[in-house]
Amino acid sequence: MQLSSDSITDGQPIPAEFAFCVPDPEAHVRLGANRNPHLAWSELPPGTRSLVLICHDSDAPSRGDDVNQEGRQIPAELPRVDFTHWVLVDLRPDRNGIAAGEFCSQVTARGKPGPEGPDGIRHGINSYTDWFAGDEEMAGDYYGYDGPCPPWNDSIVHHYHFTLYALDLLRCPVAGRFDRDQTRAAIRGHVLAQATIVGTYGVNPKVSRSG
């Protein structure tokens, strides 16, 4: 099973057009184009009936004390946790991949609608739903893709894992408003194969984007 992309090269920096935020010399960051990247698949295992796509950042800070605080830096040794950027289920195996910008092409305040999407696809919520929960201008359910926006004062580059799962199920057994953890639990025991592409991203000018 192969996962490929015209937008992201495995192990290399993610282009800024696919990010939620980009560096800004005065305000540290500003909103980016936030387009979802192109992805395509091949060599699916026999018996594949649907696909699930999940993207997560494995380097989110486990504490928010220093996040985006002037005069402070998030230490590299701080324990890290996952931050979900994309949950997509019920992709047809014979679909011609996912086009760049097909499901997201801008930052949408208060999130995007879901879970139902085109072509029978369903979107799960991502972690911006929790991140913006206390922000009156941005709070809402963020369905589908929203790209990288690591803290502008982090001392490490973040890694974004795009993983495609081939299932023996025609429909992923989740309902209503669902997230990454619920999706992973639902597909357990039904994954025929999986493939991953990892891209990097950082907005701290003091840290190399390709770490």
Side-chain angles (χ1 to χ4, degrees):
M1 178 174 170
Q2 299 292 324
L3 178 62
S4 60
S5 175
D6 294 338
S7 304
I8 298 170
T9 300
D10 191 45
Q12 297 301 309
I14 295 172
E17 68 178 288
F18 305 111
F20 191 96
C21 70
V22 296
D24 183 276
E26 296 182 1
H28 298 296
V29 295
R30 57 180 172 81
L31 295 180
N34 199 38
R35 303 177 74 223
N36 70 265
H38 162 269
L39 292 167
W41 46 84
S42 60
E43 301 177 35
L44 299 179
T48 300
R49 302 183 71 195
S50 71
L51 302 167
V52 164
L53 177 68
I54 294 175
C55 172
H56 76 281
D57 170 9
S58 57
D59 298 306
S62 57
R63 292 200 322 268
D65 312 44
D66 298 319
V67 171
N68 297 338
Q69 297 296 310
E70 294 286 355
R72 297 160 74 173
Q73 182 166 282
I74 301 169
E77 60 272 16
L78 179 73
R80 303 293 168 145
V81 296
D82 289 342
F83 188 102
T84 304
H85 285 269
W86 201 0
V87 180
L88 197 55
V89 307
D90 302 340
L91 282 160
R92 293 196 334 266
D94 61 352
R95 198 177 197 275
N96 189 27
I98 296 170
E102 180 176 359
F103 295 120
C104 186
S105 59
Q106 62 183 2
V107 173
T108 304
R110 302 186 182 278
K112 294 185 291 296
E116 302 300 329
D119 202 26
I121 292 167
R122 288 182 293 155
H123 305 277
I125 59 170
N126 63 52
S127 293
Y128 284 105
T129 302
D130 295 328
W131 177 255
F132 288 126
D135 187 325
E136 291 185 2
E137 295 183 359
M138 296 293 287
D141 283 340
Y142 284 73
Y143 282 95
Y145 180 80
D146 282 296
C149 189
W152 50 256
N153 64 337
D154 208 340
S155 56
I156 67 169
V157 166
H158 288 215
H159 294 76
Y160 298 83
H161 307 252
F162 294 80
T163 302
L164 186 72
Y165 301 87
L167 306 185
D168 61 6
L169 299 170
L170 186 61
R171 184 176 171 86
C172 182
V174 289
R177 180 181 185 272
F178 60 91
D179 60 16
R180 171 176 172 254
D181 290 342
Q182 290 168 318
T183 301
R184 292 182 66 186
I187 66 176
R188 191 172 297 123
H190 296 282
V191 178
L192 301 174
Q194 64 186 71
T196 301
I197 291 175
V198 180
T200 64
Y201 195 75
V203 293
N204 187 343
K206 298 178 181 178
V207 179
S208 168
R209 293 183 66 219
S210 58

